[in-house]
Amino acid sequence: ETLDCAGLHVLPGLIDPHVHLRDPGDKSVETLATGTKAALLGGLAAVFDMPNTQPSITTREQIDRKRGQIEAEAWVDVGMYIGGTRANTPELASLELQPNVCGIKIFAGSSTGDLMIEDDESLERAMRSGRRRISYHSEDEYRLQERKPHYTAGMPHIKHAEWRDVECAFLGTRRLMALARKTGRPAHILHVSTAEELEYLADYRDVATVEVLINHLSQTDEAYGRLGGYAVMNPPIRDARHMEAAWEAVRNGTVDTVGSDHAPHSRAAKERPWPDTAAGLTGVQTLAPLMIDHVNAGRLSLLRLVDLMCAGPARVYGVTGKGRLAAGYDADFTIVDMKKTRVIEESWIVSPCGWTPFAGQKVTGWPVMVVLRGGLAMRDDAVIGTPRGRPVVFAEARGA
Ligand code: DOR
Ligand code: ZN
Ligand code: ZN
């Protein structure tokens, strides 16, 4: 079959390195099958899936089971994070080298459940044990009492409260960077969202790579008034000063990857009054269209987009394409109509939870085809054939 790509842009297959597919978990919210179908319809060739499922992914058996599920059900290629915990620290070195594991995900701030390493000793042990880059969950902590009032509950009438800039601490990142310099082990700092933390990390390029999220590049706290609970995520969207800093960091090279942090929740959970509103937004289906729109708006170049969404993840996580340290070598392509203008509709969302914080947003530029391993997998908003996603293969070791 020959593909007519006249007038279109052919990009290497784009990657979302930060998604929560929730499988195993609540099937009425998301599954591996629906989340990867959303990714494919959104123009992606691969996603890297987070370990905070129910139960969380922390053992070899769970990795093996998930690999089988990817082979059977995934519409795009899938890499998986393994959760670092105090309990599995001794095995992390061997766990992270299991095939298709993109890295260890570590939470060290004020975060959730068992996926948490609180003390420096365990954190250092986890860092020393591995060969891969640690993926660290930054929370960009502002003082908690100051963060609370910026979203005031009462659906459907959400009061817009002022976001107040106060001291930005990011204590977890500071701890991790000290340990990174001490151990010589690099870390990828996920979803950095404040001007202060981005500025801090620019001085740690020897040990740190950086992710920003599409939401922090696309929305400001103005959205709370419009979307209420459907704007609530962690780290939160912030005022325009921080969004400008994120764009500056994209342009000056401080940022290596951009993700969606696709984190579906039920409508009921999103509509619970603050502070019980579930944090997390869908995004895997809208990441590429929004980034392409940002290119058309002149916020970044198309080459920079390819770097952030393909070469960057390949570099940071060590994606191998036929044994080489690059993505796209096995004929994965995202084919884009740079001129197509559309308004994002909630009815398009294939994640069962069924909502997007970007409904009604007009974008110019749209991924119209995806090719996986040389075969057409998506064209004009329709998936083609059966799921043909594969587990992503990663290099064994990463340098700084
Ligand atoms: O908004 C978020 N949602 N932030 C996180 O850190 C976790 C995620 C989720 O899994 O819901
Ligand atoms: Zn997170
Ligand atoms: Zn996340």
Side-chain angles (χ1 to χ4, degrees):
E1 188 199 5
T2 53
L3 276 185
D4 184 2
C5 295
L8 304 177
H9 282 68
V10 180
L11 312 182
L14 302 180
I15 300 169
D16 184 346
H18 189 158
V19 302
H20 299 258
L21 297 182
R22 306 275 191 243
D23 201 333
D26 182 349
K27 288 182 170 33
S28 72
V29 167
E30 186 71 294
T31 64
L32 186 107
T34 55
T36 53
K37 185 184 263 191
L40 182 58
L41 290 170
L44 303 177
V47 298
F48 301 166
D49 188 29
M50 285 294 173
N52 62 329
T53 48
Q54 286 173 344
S56 49
I57 307 292
T58 58
T59 67
R60 165 108 188 232
E61 292 67 37
Q62 288 166 315
I63 295 169
D64 290 344
R65 190 170 336 115
K66 188 156 164 176
R67 181 180 307 110
Q69 197 188 0
I70 293 165
E71 282 164 349
E73 300 172 13
W75 288 92
V76 295
D77 294 353
V78 180
M80 41 185 157
Y81 292 85
I82 178 143
T85 68
R86 272 157 66 91
N88 73 4
T89 305
E91 303 124 73
L92 275 179
S94 65
L95 287 173
E96 72 164 348
L97 290 180
Q98 292 304 306
N100 321 118
V101 171
C102 67
I104 305 168
K105 171 78 178 293
I106 284 184
F107 297 78
S110 55
S111 203
T112 44
D114 60 339
L115 288 180
M116 173 81 166
I117 302 184
E118 259 168 335
D119 60 299
D120 275 15
E121 211 175 295
S122 305
L123 195 54
E124 180 170 343
R125 208 173 319 124
M127 289 193 79
R128 285 193 191 281
S129 70
R131 307 237 304 267
R132 292 249 188 80
R133 188 173 292 259
I134 296 271
S135 288
Y136 175 67
H137 186 98
S138 165
E139 304 201 45
D140 299 357
E141 304 98 335
Y142 275 82
R143 272 179 291 147
L144 198 58
Q145 69 271 26
E146 300 289 349
R147 188 199 277 184
K148 270 187 182 167
H150 83 292
Y151 163 63
T152 313
M155 295 289 290
H157 303 291
I158 304 293
K159 271 193 288 171
H160 177 80
E162 285 297 302
W163 167 251
R164 285 205 287 142
D165 262 331
V166 292
E167 184 192 338
C168 179
F170 48 91
L171 298 173
T173 299
R174 290 177 198 271
R175 282 171 59 206
L176 194 80
M177 288 295 97
L179 289 174
R181 287 245 167 103
K182 182 176 168 190
T183 61
R185 291 269 295 133
H188 188 48
I189 314 300
L190 299 170
H191 55 44
V192 181
S193 68
T194 63
E196 288 84 351
E197 187 168 353
L198 286 164
E199 194 182 320
Y200 170 86
L201 285 169
D203 291 333
Y204 282 83
R205 296 295 289 163
D206 53 327
V207 283
T209 49
V210 172
E211 174 196 77
V212 294
L213 299 182
I214 185 66
N215 303 73
H216 296 125
L217 293 171
S218 308
Q219 292 183 324
T220 61
D221 53 359
E222 162 278 328
Y224 292 115
R226 212 161 28 83
L227 299 172
Y230 293 97
V232 171
M233 62 184 291
N234 266 326
I237 51 171
R238 304 179 189 279
D239 67 24
R241 179 175 76 86
H242 295 292
M243 188 165 87
E244 276 319 304
W247 277 113
E248 178 53 29
V250 163
R251 285 187 289 259
N252 74 20
T254 304
V255 176
D256 299 88
T257 65
V258 58
S260 72
D261 202 356
H262 177 75
H265 292 280
S266 70
R267 284 185 182 274
K270 295 303 285 178
E271 291 173 15
R272 276 200 300 260
W274 182 264
D276 300 318
T277 319
L281 305 171
T282 63
V284 77
Q285 204 173 336
T286 45
L287 170 65
L290 288 164
M291 284 300 288
I292 296 162
D293 182 63
H294 286 310
V295 170
N296 273 317
R299 295 190 186 98
L300 77 169
S301 68
L302 192 55
L303 270 181
R304 187 73 178 110
L305 178 149
V306 169
D307 189 53
L308 290 168
M309 298 188 70
C310 182
R315 202 165 57 228
V316 167
Y317 295 89
V319 178
T320 61
K322 300 197 168 46
R324 285 192 279 175
L325 194 66
Y329 285 178
D330 53 357
D332 295 344
F333 300 106
T334 297
I335 300 171
V336 175
D337 181 345
M338 291 300 290
K339 297 208 175 85
K340 189 166 183 164
T341 292
R342 306 183 92 177
V343 177
I344 294 170
E345 287 180 27
E346 202 140 74
S347 64
W348 299 346
I349 298 300
V350 301
S351 299
C353 65
W355 54 267
T356 166
F358 296 108
Q361 184 154 332
K362 187 171 158 186
V363 294
T364 301
W366 197 267
V368 291
M369 290 183 243
V370 172
V371 173
L372 286 182
R373 278 167 289 282
L376 192 60
M378 185 279 283
R379 177 172 212 158
D380 295 333
D381 305 317
V383 300
I384 293 170
T386 50
R388 65 179 90 193
R390 302 278 308 151
V392 176
V393 178
F394 297 91
E396 280 218 341
R398 281 289 306 143

